[in-house]
Amino acid sequence: PTIALAKEPEPQLRGTLLLQYKLEDDYGVVDAQATFERKSPATDKPASTEAESKPPRPLFDAPNFTLVLPQARTRAGVGQTTKDLSEHPWAGVDVEMTLVARDEANNEGRSAVQDMRLPERPFSKPLPRALIEQRRNLALDAYAKDRVLGALDALTIAPERFTPETNVYLGLRSIYWQLARSDSDDGLR
């Protein structure tokens, strides 16, 4: 089977991703998937701590998903799938996407790798934007716990200035202490 993008992936306004793709097989495609891998972050500086020298340990799997086929056992056709990825911890991450098609004999065809950024929900206020960034950092690497704790601590340095609402400040401190006491991947999630 063969599969390829018919158009560039289109992030939609609400954080969904629209994919349009062409499928072809002599006997018919029975399954298609969009698979993602995180692009390797550029490392210009040497690792300064033990945690930074380890390869990242993601807490969540990539947001791979099944593609809608134009019809069962598609021999040739164009499909379209819209998927909401805005709630996934990988939202906003630079990834490499590959489309994979399988026929009934389990033969596999792959598209060319597509570099892209997963769509994310836009945040206009700085505090929610910072919190989502820290959630993403932790989701992509459990070893980032100490850096995330430092960022959460910094966000609560002057509550009267930056988080004047008491409930927001107390929520941030609660998150900080829950994370500080977490000693397993489930606790970090």
Side-chain angles (χ1 to χ4, degrees):
T2 61
I3 187 169
L5 286 170
K7 290 175 60 177
E8 290 289 315
E10 294 179 36
Q12 305 295 299
L13 290 178
R14 296 190 177 258
T16 59
L17 178 65
L18 174 64
L19 297 177
Q20 294 181 350
Y21 40 89
K22 297 180 285 191
L23 302 153
E24 200 172 305
D25 186 64
D26 294 343
Y27 299 101
V29 175
V30 295
D31 179 53
Q33 300 259 325
T35 62
F36 300 90
E37 286 188 32
R38 184 175 177 205
K39 283 180 70 172
S40 299
T43 52
D44 297 334
K45 58 181 180 178
S48 59
T49 68
E50 181 182 333
E52 290 175 354
S53 64
K54 296 179 184 178
R57 185 169 53 103
L59 293 171
F60 293 89
D61 293 330
N64 302 335
F65 58 88
T66 302
L67 299 174
V68 176
L69 299 176
Q71 63 189 34
R73 295 184 184 209
T74 301
R75 290 185 180 208
V78 177
Q80 177 174 307
T81 300
T82 302
K83 184 72 173 178
D84 184 1
L85 300 173
S86 63
E87 298 294 322
H88 196 280
W90 282 39
V93 172
D94 292 325
V95 296
E96 294 175 338
M97 180 185 69
T98 306
L99 304 181
V100 181
R102 287 186 186 81
D103 64 13
E104 202 166 83
N106 213 23
N107 296 316
E108 186 176 275
R110 294 178 164 270
S111 69
V113 174
Q114 174 76 32
D115 290 343
M116 62 178 289
R117 176 169 286 209
L118 290 175
E120 63 184 323
R121 189 173 144 209
F123 289 94
S124 57
K125 295 184 179 179
L127 183 60
R129 192 171 44 232
L131 290 174
I132 289 298
E133 180 182 349
Q134 294 312 312
R135 178 186 88 153
R136 183 173 41 241
N137 290 343
L138 188 61
L140 294 173
D141 186 7
Y143 299 124
K145 176 183 171 181
D146 290 336
R147 288 191 312 270
V148 171
L149 283 171
L152 287 173
D153 207 24
L155 289 171
T156 58
I157 285 176
E160 68 283 353
R161 217 171 142 189
F162 300 110
T163 51
E165 298 166 28
T166 305
N167 61 337
V168 173
Y169 173 78
L170 292 174
L172 287 172
R173 293 313 296 168
S174 174
I175 291 168
Y176 174 89
W177 287 110
Q178 287 175 23
L179 181 59
R181 292 184 180 115
S182 297
D183 56 358
S184 69
D185 285 358
D186 284 337
L188 293 175
R189 281 187 206 96

